Amino acid sequence: MGDLAVEFKNESFYRDIIKVKIFAGEISRVSFELFYQLSTERNDKQILLANAKTGMIFYSYEIKKSVSITDEMKIILTGQ
């Protein structure tokens, strides 16, 4: 993980059922972004709890540097 950003919008409470949506963002040669949206339902209303983003880097621990994203991972991220 190269970076992380979290924007808290509302508080959550014990017994809240938290729904998490995950979306892929920009994909480059060696990295990609993941966006998260956390929400809950209270009194028949959707309440946004938080938005977040992680910047993920494809990294080889064997050679100790970033490497190109595989075609398989691109397919997973784009849903194609």
Side-chain angles (χ1 to χ4, degrees):
M1 183 183 313
D3 65 273
L4 164 69
V6 180
E7 177 184 29
F8 295 102
K9 304 300 271 181
N10 286 289
E11 61 186 326
S12 61
F13 299 98
Y14 180 68
R15 296 197 186 261
D16 275 349
I17 297 173
I18 298 174
K19 181 178 179 180
V20 179
K21 293 181 181 179
I22 302 174
F23 310 90
E26 184 178 336
I27 302 169
S28 72
R29 188 178 66 78
V30 297
S31 65
F32 60 94
E33 297 174 323
L34 291 176
F35 292 92
Y36 311 84
Q37 186 178 70
L38 286 73
S39 62
T40 192
E41 187 174 320
R42 283 189 221 122
N43 302 321
D44 296 322
K45 287 178 67 176
Q46 286 293 316
I47 309 292
L48 177 62
L49 301 173
N51 291 312
K53 179 202 108 64
T54 54
M56 306 301 287
I57 300 169
F58 248 56
Y59 185 82
S60 169
Y61 287 94
E62 293 175 0
I63 61 174
K64 305 285 187 211
K65 61 191 217 180
S66 56
V67 295
S68 295
I69 294 176
T70 63
D71 289 337
E72 180 182 34
M73 184 54 111
K74 286 180 188 174
I75 291 168
I76 290 168
L77 292 169
T78 60
Q80 298 178 0

